């Protein structure tokens, strides 16, 4: 493992893991497992910027963790853990808060969107959320951060914070690069194809859950909003069809343009059926593996405990170095 570059990423356990998350994030994580030294976290501390019901959150955290493994993240190759199990994330976040400007945070698109959506609870955590994300990444010296397009701005802020800190104290942090998959970085909602597919969409017809049954997948794809010109082509102004082509492409490792050629001249009905089949086929083994994991709670527990231990050993070293640079007395 020693000479491999390190990758870090995470998903917050809100809503349910969607095809958008799978294509935009988890799928590139799978490809990275061989080449990189990977660390993936269920970032539970991020999810409390919005009020959560404790029982529901507990259930969802476990669900996401099992989904990670079911999707193919391999505890023998990658470190898998819950963010709240490694206290250094919160500790480093505080320090980085003191190296981040209010102006920078108020420019973050996600903050602007979420504070508009949760106007009754614009808490400081929502505002400083990107600082916790910077801590997640910088604690592990990650060189690469595989995320969907919407997270690029946060990784860029992480770079700025790291460079600012390094500018004062020398080379402490590795400055990370985002990795955005070329295809599928922006899977759109099936109901409102101008918006991204979101796991906290109140309308389940807008997204596909990675554990959806084949008949549910087919129904959702058949109901997907398209257009009325009847032509299967990948071009501007055809958001719904473009999205289905991107989904099909992601399922079959083709570009949306190549996928469009495959369906040239066919009707939307047949096209949707083929897209639905491709999605159902990709997700079936994930659902099977997930159901096996549910029967094996001890194994799952050993994975996250072991993961937290390994993550913590790395994080401890970084935090120790940071403390020393800052002038704190070593413990
Ligand atoms: P929410 O809607 O609850 O804010 P989300 O669906 O955007 O959640 P996140 O937890 O913000 O999910 O994102 C997890 C990962 O999945 C990130 O790397 C993000 O970029 C990626 N991702 C999320 N939605 C999509 C999408 N529609 N297409 C591609 N990638 C996505
Ligand atoms: N902010 C991200 C989730 C996230 C993350 C991270 C992604 C938290 N910490 C570290 C990559 C690296 C989101 O909302 N998708």
């Amino acid at each position: 493992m020693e000479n491999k570059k390190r990758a870090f990423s995470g998903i917050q356990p809100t809503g349910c893991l969607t095809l958008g998350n799978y294509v935009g994030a988890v799928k590139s994580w799978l490809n990275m497992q061989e080449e990189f030294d990977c660390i993936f976290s269920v970032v539970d501390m991020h999810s409390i910027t919005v009020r959560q019901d404790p029982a529901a959150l507990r259930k969802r955290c476990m669900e996401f963790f099992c989904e990670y493994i079911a999707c193919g993240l391999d505890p023998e190759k990658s470190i898998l853990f819950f963010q709240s199990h490694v206290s250094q994330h919160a500790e480093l976040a505080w320090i980085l808060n003191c190296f981040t400007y209010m102006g920078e945070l108020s420019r973050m698109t996600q903050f602007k969107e979420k504070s508009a959506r949760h106007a009754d609870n614009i808490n400081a955590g929502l505002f400083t959320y990107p600082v916790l994300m910077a801590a997640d990444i910088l604690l592990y010296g990650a060189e690469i951060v595989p995320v969907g397009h919407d997270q690029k701005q946060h990784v860029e802020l992480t770079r700025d914070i790291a460079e600012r800190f390094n500018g004062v104290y020398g080379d402490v942090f590795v400055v990370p690069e985002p990795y955005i998959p070329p295809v599928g970085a922006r899977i759109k909602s099936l109901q409102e194809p101008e918006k991204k597919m979101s796991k906290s969409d109140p309308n389940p017809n807008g997204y596909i859950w990675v554990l959806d049954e084949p008949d549910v997948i087919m129904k959702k794809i058949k109901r997907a909003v398209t257009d009325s010109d009847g032509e299967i082509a990948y071009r501007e102004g055809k958001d719904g069809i473009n999205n289905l082509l991107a989904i099909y492409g992601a399922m079959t490792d083709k570009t949306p343009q190549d996928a469009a050629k495959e369906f040239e001249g066919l009707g939307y009905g047949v096209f949707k059926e083929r897209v639905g089949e491709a999605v159902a086929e990709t997700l079936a083994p994930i659902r099977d593996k997930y159901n096996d994991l549910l029967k094996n709670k001890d194994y799952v527990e050993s994975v996250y405990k072991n993961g937290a231990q390994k993550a913590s050993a790395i994080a401890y070293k970084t935090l120790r170095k940071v403390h020393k640079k800052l002038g704190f007395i070593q413990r």
Side-chain angles (χ1 to χ4, degrees), residues 253-309:
D253 286 324
K254 289 180 186 143
T255 64
Q257 290 82 354
D258 283 345
K261 280 192 203 120
E262 198 176 318
F263 294 110
E264 235 166 34
L266 290 180
Y268 285 178
V270 182
F271 170 52
K272 282 181 165 176
E273 204 145 303
R274 295 271 297 279
V275 178
E277 279 163 9
V279 174
E281 216 165 278
T282 304
L283 299 184
I286 298 176
R287 207 177 43 257
D288 290 347
K289 186 148 184 213
Y290 182 87
N291 289 331
D292 284 346
L293 286 168
L294 287 189
K295 292 179 218 140
N296 213 337
K297 295 226 165 71
D298 289 350
Y299 168 73
V300 176
E301 186 178 326
S302 74
V303 173
Y304 66 70
K305 289 206 164 153
N306 205 347
Q309 235 170 31

Short mmCIF file of all heavy atoms in Angstrom, two decimals, residues 253-309:
data_model
loop_
_atom_site.label_atom_id
_atom_site.label_comp_id
_atom_site.label_asym_id
_atom_site.label_seq_id
_atom_site.Cartn_x
_atom_site.Cartn_y
_atom_site.Cartn_z
N ASP A 253 -21.03 1.37 -19.84
CA ASP A 253 -19.70 1.92 -20.16
C ASP A 253 -19.61 2.46 -21.58
O ASP A 253 -18.67 2.16 -22.32
CB ASP A 253 -18.61 0.87 -19.90
CG ASP A 253 -18.37 0.70 -18.41
OD1 ASP A 253 -18.45 1.71 -17.69
OD2 ASP A 253 -18.16 -0.45 -17.96
N LYS A 254 -20.61 3.23 -21.93
CA LYS A 254 -20.59 3.89 -23.24
C LYS A 254 -20.76 5.39 -23.02
O LYS A 254 -21.29 5.81 -21.98
CB LYS A 254 -21.78 3.41 -24.09
CG LYS A 254 -21.61 1.99 -24.57
CD LYS A 254 -22.78 1.54 -25.40
CE LYS A 254 -22.61 0.05 -25.69
NZ LYS A 254 -23.85 -0.69 -25.68
N THR A 255 -20.38 6.16 -24.03
CA THR A 255 -20.67 7.59 -23.92
C THR A 255 -22.15 7.79 -24.26
O THR A 255 -22.74 6.96 -24.99
CB THR A 255 -19.83 8.42 -24.92
OG1 THR A 255 -20.23 8.03 -26.24
CG2 THR A 255 -18.34 8.20 -24.74
N PRO A 256 -22.77 8.86 -23.77
CA PRO A 256 -24.18 9.10 -24.12
C PRO A 256 -24.36 9.23 -25.63
O PRO A 256 -25.38 8.82 -26.18
CB PRO A 256 -24.50 10.41 -23.41
CG PRO A 256 -23.42 10.66 -22.44
CD PRO A 256 -22.23 9.87 -22.84
N GLN A 257 -23.33 9.77 -26.31
CA GLN A 257 -23.42 9.92 -27.77
C GLN A 257 -23.49 8.56 -28.45
O GLN A 257 -24.30 8.34 -29.36
CB GLN A 257 -22.20 10.69 -28.31
CG GLN A 257 -22.16 12.17 -27.95
CD GLN A 257 -21.62 12.45 -26.54
OE1 GLN A 257 -21.34 11.54 -25.76
NE2 GLN A 257 -21.47 13.73 -26.20
N ASP A 258 -22.63 7.62 -28.01
CA ASP A 258 -22.67 6.27 -28.58
C ASP A 258 -23.99 5.58 -28.27
O ASP A 258 -24.55 4.86 -29.11
CB ASP A 258 -21.51 5.43 -28.06
CG ASP A 258 -20.20 5.80 -28.76
OD1 ASP A 258 -20.28 6.48 -29.81
OD2 ASP A 258 -19.13 5.44 -28.25
N ALA A 259 -24.48 5.81 -27.04
CA ALA A 259 -25.76 5.22 -26.65
C ALA A 259 -26.86 5.75 -27.59
O ALA A 259 -27.71 4.99 -28.06
CB ALA A 259 -26.08 5.57 -25.20
N ALA A 260 -26.80 7.05 -27.91
CA ALA A 260 -27.82 7.65 -28.79
C ALA A 260 -27.82 6.95 -30.15
O ALA A 260 -28.89 6.67 -30.72
CB ALA A 260 -27.56 9.14 -28.94
N LYS A 261 -26.61 6.63 -30.66
CA LYS A 261 -26.53 5.95 -31.97
C LYS A 261 -27.22 4.60 -31.91
O LYS A 261 -27.92 4.19 -32.84
CB LYS A 261 -25.06 5.76 -32.36
CG LYS A 261 -24.46 7.03 -32.93
CD LYS A 261 -23.11 6.74 -33.59
CE LYS A 261 -22.30 8.03 -33.62
NZ LYS A 261 -21.03 7.96 -32.91
N GLU A 262 -27.03 3.90 -30.79
CA GLU A 262 -27.61 2.57 -30.62
C GLU A 262 -29.14 2.61 -30.72
O GLU A 262 -29.76 1.64 -31.15
CB GLU A 262 -27.18 2.07 -29.25
CG GLU A 262 -27.30 0.59 -29.06
CD GLU A 262 -26.75 0.16 -27.69
OE1 GLU A 262 -25.69 0.67 -27.27
OE2 GLU A 262 -27.40 -0.66 -27.05
N PHE A 263 -29.73 3.72 -30.30
CA PHE A 263 -31.19 3.79 -30.25
C PHE A 263 -31.81 4.61 -31.38
O PHE A 263 -33.02 4.83 -31.38
CB PHE A 263 -31.63 4.37 -28.89
CG PHE A 263 -31.29 3.47 -27.74
CD1 PHE A 263 -30.30 3.82 -26.84
CD2 PHE A 263 -31.95 2.27 -27.58
CE1 PHE A 263 -29.98 2.99 -25.78
CE2 PHE A 263 -31.63 1.42 -26.53
CZ PHE A 263 -30.64 1.79 -25.62
N GLU A 264 -30.97 5.05 -32.30
CA GLU A 264 -31.46 5.90 -33.40
C GLU A 264 -32.69 5.28 -34.07
O GLU A 264 -32.68 4.07 -34.40
CB GLU A 264 -30.36 6.05 -34.45
CG GLU A 264 -30.03 7.50 -34.76
CD GLU A 264 -28.72 7.58 -35.54
OE1 GLU A 264 -28.44 6.66 -36.34
OE2 GLU A 264 -27.99 8.55 -35.32
N GLY A 265 -33.71 6.06 -34.24
CA GLY A 265 -34.90 5.60 -34.97
C GLY A 265 -35.90 4.84 -34.12
O GLY A 265 -37.00 4.55 -34.57
N LEU A 266 -35.52 4.47 -32.88
CA LEU A 266 -36.47 3.73 -32.03
C LEU A 266 -37.42 4.71 -31.31
O LEU A 266 -37.12 5.89 -31.18
CB LEU A 266 -35.72 2.91 -30.99
CG LEU A 266 -34.94 1.68 -31.49
CD1 LEU A 266 -34.27 0.99 -30.34
CD2 LEU A 266 -35.87 0.72 -32.21
N GLY A 267 -38.52 4.17 -30.80
CA GLY A 267 -39.46 5.01 -30.06
C GLY A 267 -39.06 5.12 -28.60
O GLY A 267 -38.28 4.31 -28.09
N TYR A 268 -39.61 6.10 -27.89
CA TYR A 268 -39.26 6.33 -26.49
C TYR A 268 -39.63 5.12 -25.60
O TYR A 268 -38.93 4.83 -24.64
CB TYR A 268 -39.99 7.58 -25.95
CG TYR A 268 -39.40 8.89 -26.44
CD1 TYR A 268 -39.99 10.11 -26.06
CD2 TYR A 268 -38.28 8.93 -27.25
CE1 TYR A 268 -39.46 11.33 -26.48
CE2 TYR A 268 -37.75 10.14 -27.68
CZ TYR A 268 -38.35 11.33 -27.29
OH TYR A 268 -37.83 12.53 -27.71
N GLY A 269 -40.74 4.44 -25.94
CA GLY A 269 -41.20 3.31 -25.11
C GLY A 269 -40.14 2.21 -25.05
O GLY A 269 -39.76 1.75 -23.97
N VAL A 270 -39.67 1.80 -26.23
CA VAL A 270 -38.67 0.73 -26.31
C VAL A 270 -37.37 1.19 -25.65
O VAL A 270 -36.73 0.45 -24.90
CB VAL A 270 -38.37 0.38 -27.80
CG1 VAL A 270 -37.37 -0.77 -27.91
CG2 VAL A 270 -39.65 0.05 -28.53
N PHE A 271 -37.00 2.43 -25.93
CA PHE A 271 -35.78 3.01 -25.36
C PHE A 271 -35.82 2.95 -23.83
O PHE A 271 -34.89 2.45 -23.17
CB PHE A 271 -35.65 4.46 -25.86
CG PHE A 271 -34.58 5.27 -25.18
CD1 PHE A 271 -33.27 4.80 -25.09
CD2 PHE A 271 -34.88 6.53 -24.65
CE1 PHE A 271 -32.29 5.56 -24.46
CE2 PHE A 271 -33.90 7.29 -24.02
CZ PHE A 271 -32.61 6.81 -23.93
N LYS A 272 -36.94 3.40 -23.27
CA LYS A 272 -37.05 3.42 -21.80
C LYS A 272 -36.96 2.00 -21.24
O LYS A 272 -36.34 1.78 -20.19
CB LYS A 272 -38.37 4.07 -21.38
CG LYS A 272 -38.34 5.58 -21.47
CD LYS A 272 -39.67 6.16 -21.03
CE LYS A 272 -39.56 7.65 -20.75
NZ LYS A 272 -40.86 8.24 -20.41
N GLU A 273 -37.54 1.06 -21.95
CA GLU A 273 -37.48 -0.32 -21.48
C GLU A 273 -36.02 -0.81 -21.42
O GLU A 273 -35.61 -1.42 -20.45
CB GLU A 273 -38.29 -1.19 -22.42
CG GLU A 273 -38.76 -2.44 -21.74
CD GLU A 273 -40.15 -2.86 -22.24
OE1 GLU A 273 -41.10 -2.06 -22.16
OE2 GLU A 273 -40.23 -3.96 -22.75
N ARG A 274 -35.27 -0.47 -22.45
CA ARG A 274 -33.85 -0.90 -22.49
C ARG A 274 -33.04 -0.22 -21.39
O ARG A 274 -32.17 -0.84 -20.77
CB ARG A 274 -33.24 -0.59 -23.87
CG ARG A 274 -33.88 -1.39 -25.02
CD ARG A 274 -33.20 -2.71 -25.26
NE ARG A 274 -31.81 -2.54 -25.67
CZ ARG A 274 -31.42 -2.25 -26.89
NH1 ARG A 274 -32.31 -2.12 -27.86
NH2 ARG A 274 -30.14 -2.12 -27.18
N VAL A 275 -33.34 1.04 -21.14
CA VAL A 275 -32.64 1.76 -20.06
C VAL A 275 -32.98 1.10 -18.72
O VAL A 275 -32.09 0.80 -17.90
CB VAL A 275 -33.00 3.26 -20.04
CG1 VAL A 275 -32.31 3.97 -18.88
CG2 VAL A 275 -32.63 3.94 -21.36
N GLY A 276 -34.27 0.84 -18.52
CA GLY A 276 -34.73 0.21 -17.28
C GLY A 276 -34.06 -1.14 -17.05
O GLY A 276 -33.61 -1.44 -15.94
N GLU A 277 -33.97 -1.94 -18.13
CA GLU A 277 -33.33 -3.26 -18.01
C GLU A 277 -31.86 -3.11 -17.62
O GLU A 277 -31.36 -3.85 -16.77
CB GLU A 277 -33.42 -4.01 -19.34
CG GLU A 277 -34.75 -4.69 -19.55
CD GLU A 277 -34.99 -5.06 -21.01
OE1 GLU A 277 -34.05 -4.96 -21.84
OE2 GLU A 277 -36.14 -5.44 -21.32
N ALA A 278 -31.18 -2.16 -18.27
CA ALA A 278 -29.75 -1.98 -17.98
C ALA A 278 -29.53 -1.57 -16.52
O ALA A 278 -28.63 -2.07 -15.85
CB ALA A 278 -29.15 -0.93 -18.93
N VAL A 279 -30.41 -0.70 -16.02
CA VAL A 279 -30.28 -0.25 -14.63
C VAL A 279 -30.57 -1.43 -13.69
O VAL A 279 -29.80 -1.71 -12.75
CB VAL A 279 -31.23 0.93 -14.32
CG1 VAL A 279 -31.19 1.29 -12.84
CG2 VAL A 279 -30.86 2.15 -15.17
N ALA A 280 -31.67 -2.15 -13.97
CA ALA A 280 -32.05 -3.26 -13.09
C ALA A 280 -30.94 -4.31 -13.05
O ALA A 280 -30.63 -4.87 -12.00
CB ALA A 280 -33.36 -3.87 -13.58
N GLU A 281 -30.34 -4.56 -14.20
CA GLU A 281 -29.27 -5.56 -14.29
C GLU A 281 -28.05 -5.15 -13.45
O GLU A 281 -27.45 -5.96 -12.77
CB GLU A 281 -28.85 -5.68 -15.75
CG GLU A 281 -28.47 -7.07 -16.17
CD GLU A 281 -28.42 -7.14 -17.69
OE1 GLU A 281 -29.51 -7.31 -18.30
OE2 GLU A 281 -27.33 -6.98 -18.24
N THR A 282 -27.71 -3.86 -13.52
CA THR A 282 -26.55 -3.38 -12.76
C THR A 282 -26.82 -3.44 -11.26
O THR A 282 -25.94 -3.77 -10.46
CB THR A 282 -26.23 -1.91 -13.14
OG1 THR A 282 -26.05 -1.86 -14.54
CG2 THR A 282 -24.99 -1.39 -12.44
N LEU A 283 -28.06 -3.12 -10.87
CA LEU A 283 -28.35 -3.01 -9.43
C LEU A 283 -28.69 -4.34 -8.76
O LEU A 283 -28.58 -4.46 -7.53
CB LEU A 283 -29.45 -1.98 -9.18
CG LEU A 283 -29.15 -0.54 -9.64
CD1 LEU A 283 -30.28 0.40 -9.24
CD2 LEU A 283 -27.83 -0.01 -9.04
N ALA A 284 -29.08 -5.36 -9.56
CA ALA A 284 -29.50 -6.64 -8.95
C ALA A 284 -28.44 -7.25 -8.02
O ALA A 284 -28.76 -7.61 -6.88
CB ALA A 284 -29.92 -7.62 -10.03
N PRO A 285 -27.18 -7.38 -8.46
CA PRO A 285 -26.19 -7.98 -7.55
C PRO A 285 -25.96 -7.15 -6.29
O PRO A 285 -25.62 -7.70 -5.24
CB PRO A 285 -24.91 -8.06 -8.39
CG PRO A 285 -25.16 -7.31 -9.65
CD PRO A 285 -26.62 -7.09 -9.79
N ILE A 286 -26.16 -5.84 -6.40
CA ILE A 286 -25.98 -4.97 -5.22
C ILE A 286 -27.06 -5.29 -4.19
O ILE A 286 -26.78 -5.44 -3.00
CB ILE A 286 -26.04 -3.47 -5.63
CG1 ILE A 286 -24.89 -3.16 -6.61
CG2 ILE A 286 -26.03 -2.56 -4.41
CD1 ILE A 286 -24.88 -1.75 -7.16
N ARG A 287 -28.29 -5.45 -4.68
CA ARG A 287 -29.40 -5.76 -3.77
C ARG A 287 -29.19 -7.13 -3.11
O ARG A 287 -29.40 -7.30 -1.91
CB ARG A 287 -30.73 -5.70 -4.53
CG ARG A 287 -31.91 -5.35 -3.66
CD ARG A 287 -33.21 -5.22 -4.40
NE ARG A 287 -33.38 -6.28 -5.37
CZ ARG A 287 -33.21 -6.14 -6.68
NH1 ARG A 287 -32.91 -4.97 -7.19
NH2 ARG A 287 -33.36 -7.16 -7.50
N ASP A 288 -28.72 -8.10 -3.89
CA ASP A 288 -28.48 -9.45 -3.33
C ASP A 288 -27.44 -9.40 -2.23
O ASP A 288 -27.59 -9.97 -1.16
CB ASP A 288 -27.98 -10.41 -4.43
CG ASP A 288 -29.09 -10.73 -5.41
OD1 ASP A 288 -30.26 -10.41 -5.09
OD2 ASP A 288 -28.79 -11.28 -6.49
N LYS A 289 -26.34 -8.70 -2.53
CA LYS A 289 -25.26 -8.64 -1.54
C LYS A 289 -25.72 -7.90 -0.28
O LYS A 289 -25.38 -8.29 0.84
CB LYS A 289 -24.04 -7.96 -2.18
CG LYS A 289 -22.84 -7.98 -1.30
CD LYS A 289 -21.53 -8.07 -2.07
CE LYS A 289 -20.40 -8.18 -1.08
NZ LYS A 289 -19.19 -7.53 -1.53
N TYR A 290 -26.51 -6.87 -0.48
CA TYR A 290 -27.03 -6.11 0.66
C TYR A 290 -27.86 -7.01 1.56
O TYR A 290 -27.70 -7.01 2.79
CB TYR A 290 -27.88 -4.94 0.14
CG TYR A 290 -28.42 -4.06 1.24
CD1 TYR A 290 -27.67 -3.00 1.73
CD2 TYR A 290 -29.67 -4.30 1.79
CE1 TYR A 290 -28.16 -2.19 2.75
CE2 TYR A 290 -30.17 -3.50 2.81
CZ TYR A 290 -29.41 -2.45 3.28
OH TYR A 290 -29.89 -1.66 4.30
N ASN A 291 -28.71 -7.83 0.95
CA ASN A 291 -29.55 -8.72 1.75
C ASN A 291 -28.72 -9.73 2.52
O ASN A 291 -29.06 -10.09 3.64
CB ASN A 291 -30.60 -9.39 0.86
CG ASN A 291 -31.66 -8.37 0.42
OD1 ASN A 291 -31.92 -7.40 1.14
ND2 ASN A 291 -32.22 -8.56 -0.76
N ASP A 292 -27.61 -10.17 1.94
CA ASP A 292 -26.71 -11.09 2.65
C ASP A 292 -26.08 -10.39 3.86
O ASP A 292 -25.96 -10.97 4.94
CB ASP A 292 -25.55 -11.54 1.74
CG ASP A 292 -26.02 -12.59 0.75
OD1 ASP A 292 -27.12 -13.13 0.96
OD2 ASP A 292 -25.28 -12.84 -0.23
N LEU A 293 -25.70 -9.13 3.66
CA LEU A 293 -25.04 -8.39 4.75
C LEU A 293 -25.97 -8.20 5.94
O LEU A 293 -25.54 -8.21 7.09
CB LEU A 293 -24.56 -7.03 4.26
CG LEU A 293 -23.32 -7.06 3.35
CD1 LEU A 293 -23.13 -5.71 2.69
CD2 LEU A 293 -22.07 -7.45 4.14
N LEU A 294 -27.27 -8.02 5.64
CA LEU A 294 -28.24 -7.83 6.72
C LEU A 294 -28.24 -9.02 7.66
O LEU A 294 -28.51 -8.90 8.85
CB LEU A 294 -29.64 -7.65 6.14
CG LEU A 294 -29.95 -6.34 5.45
CD1 LEU A 294 -31.45 -6.26 5.13
CD2 LEU A 294 -29.56 -5.14 6.31
N LYS A 295 -27.90 -10.21 7.11
CA LYS A 295 -27.89 -11.43 7.93
C LYS A 295 -26.56 -11.59 8.66
O LYS A 295 -26.35 -12.56 9.37
CB LYS A 295 -28.12 -12.65 7.02
CG LYS A 295 -29.52 -12.69 6.44
CD LYS A 295 -29.67 -13.91 5.54
CE LYS A 295 -30.50 -13.59 4.32
NZ LYS A 295 -30.01 -14.18 3.08
N ASN A 296 -25.64 -10.68 8.40
CA ASN A 296 -24.29 -10.86 8.93
C ASN A 296 -23.82 -9.61 9.69
O ASN A 296 -22.83 -8.98 9.33
CB ASN A 296 -23.38 -11.15 7.73
CG ASN A 296 -22.27 -12.08 8.13
OD1 ASN A 296 -21.93 -12.18 9.31
ND2 ASN A 296 -21.68 -12.73 7.15
N LYS A 297 -24.55 -9.28 10.72
CA LYS A 297 -24.31 -8.03 11.46
C LYS A 297 -22.93 -7.99 12.12
O LYS A 297 -22.28 -6.94 12.17
CB LYS A 297 -25.40 -7.84 12.53
CG LYS A 297 -26.79 -7.65 11.94
CD LYS A 297 -27.52 -6.50 12.61
CE LYS A 297 -28.73 -6.06 11.83
NZ LYS A 297 -29.88 -6.99 11.84
N ASP A 298 -22.46 -9.16 12.59
CA ASP A 298 -21.15 -9.19 13.27
C ASP A 298 -20.04 -8.81 12.29
O ASP A 298 -19.09 -8.11 12.64
CB ASP A 298 -20.85 -10.59 13.83
CG ASP A 298 -21.75 -10.88 15.02
OD1 ASP A 298 -22.42 -9.94 15.49
OD2 ASP A 298 -21.80 -12.05 15.46
N TYR A 299 -20.17 -9.31 11.08
CA TYR A 299 -19.16 -9.00 10.07
C TYR A 299 -19.14 -7.49 9.80
O TYR A 299 -18.08 -6.86 9.81
CB TYR A 299 -19.46 -9.77 8.78
CG TYR A 299 -18.64 -9.28 7.60
CD1 TYR A 299 -17.28 -9.55 7.50
CD2 TYR A 299 -19.24 -8.50 6.59
CE1 TYR A 299 -16.52 -9.07 6.44
CE2 TYR A 299 -18.48 -8.02 5.52
CZ TYR A 299 -17.14 -8.31 5.46
OH TYR A 299 -16.39 -7.83 4.42
N VAL A 300 -20.33 -6.91 9.61
CA VAL A 300 -20.41 -5.47 9.32
C VAL A 300 -19.78 -4.67 10.46
O VAL A 300 -18.99 -3.75 10.24
CB VAL A 300 -21.89 -5.05 9.08
CG1 VAL A 300 -21.99 -3.56 8.87
CG2 VAL A 300 -22.46 -5.80 7.87
N GLU A 301 -20.08 -5.08 11.69
CA GLU A 301 -19.53 -4.37 12.84
C GLU A 301 -18.00 -4.47 12.86
O GLU A 301 -17.30 -3.48 13.13
CB GLU A 301 -20.11 -4.97 14.13
CG GLU A 301 -19.70 -4.19 15.36
CD GLU A 301 -20.30 -4.73 16.66
OE1 GLU A 301 -21.45 -5.22 16.63
OE2 GLU A 301 -19.61 -4.66 17.68
N SER A 302 -17.48 -5.64 12.53
CA SER A 302 -16.02 -5.78 12.53
C SER A 302 -15.40 -4.89 11.45
O SER A 302 -14.33 -4.33 11.64
CB SER A 302 -15.62 -7.25 12.35
OG SER A 302 -15.82 -7.63 11.01
N VAL A 303 -16.11 -4.71 10.35
CA VAL A 303 -15.57 -3.86 9.27
C VAL A 303 -15.49 -2.40 9.74
O VAL A 303 -14.47 -1.74 9.59
CB VAL A 303 -16.42 -3.96 7.97
CG1 VAL A 303 -15.95 -2.95 6.94
CG2 VAL A 303 -16.36 -5.37 7.39
N TYR A 304 -16.57 -1.90 10.35
CA TYR A 304 -16.50 -0.46 10.69
C TYR A 304 -15.62 -0.18 11.89
O TYR A 304 -15.01 0.87 11.99
CB TYR A 304 -17.89 0.20 10.75
CG TYR A 304 -18.87 -0.22 11.82
CD1 TYR A 304 -18.69 0.11 13.15
CD2 TYR A 304 -20.03 -0.90 11.46
CE1 TYR A 304 -19.62 -0.25 14.11
CE2 TYR A 304 -20.97 -1.27 12.41
CZ TYR A 304 -20.76 -0.95 13.74
OH TYR A 304 -21.68 -1.30 14.69
N LYS A 305 -15.51 -1.17 12.80
CA LYS A 305 -14.61 -0.95 13.95
C LYS A 305 -13.15 -0.96 13.51
O LYS A 305 -12.35 -0.10 13.90
CB LYS A 305 -14.87 -2.01 15.02
CG LYS A 305 -16.20 -1.80 15.70
CD LYS A 305 -16.24 -2.37 17.09
CE LYS A 305 -17.43 -1.79 17.83
NZ LYS A 305 -17.94 -2.67 18.87
N ASN A 306 -12.85 -1.93 12.70
CA ASN A 306 -11.50 -2.05 12.16
C ASN A 306 -11.13 -0.82 11.31
O ASN A 306 -10.03 -0.27 11.40
CB ASN A 306 -11.52 -3.30 11.26
CG ASN A 306 -10.18 -3.90 11.11
OD1 ASN A 306 -9.18 -3.26 11.46
ND2 ASN A 306 -10.14 -5.11 10.58
N GLY A 307 -12.12 -0.38 10.50
CA GLY A 307 -11.91 0.78 9.63
C GLY A 307 -11.61 2.02 10.46
O GLY A 307 -10.67 2.78 10.16
N ALA A 308 -12.37 2.23 11.54
CA ALA A 308 -12.17 3.42 12.37
C ALA A 308 -10.80 3.39 13.03
O ALA A 308 -10.13 4.43 13.16
CB ALA A 308 -13.27 3.50 13.42
N GLN A 309 -10.38 2.19 13.40
CA GLN A 309 -9.07 2.07 14.05
C GLN A 309 -7.94 2.47 13.09
O GLN A 309 -7.05 3.23 13.44
CB GLN A 309 -8.86 0.62 14.45
CG GLN A 309 -8.54 0.46 15.92
CD GLN A 309 -8.58 -1.00 16.32
OE1 GLN A 309 -8.28 -1.88 15.51
NE2 GLN A 309 -8.94 -1.24 17.55
#
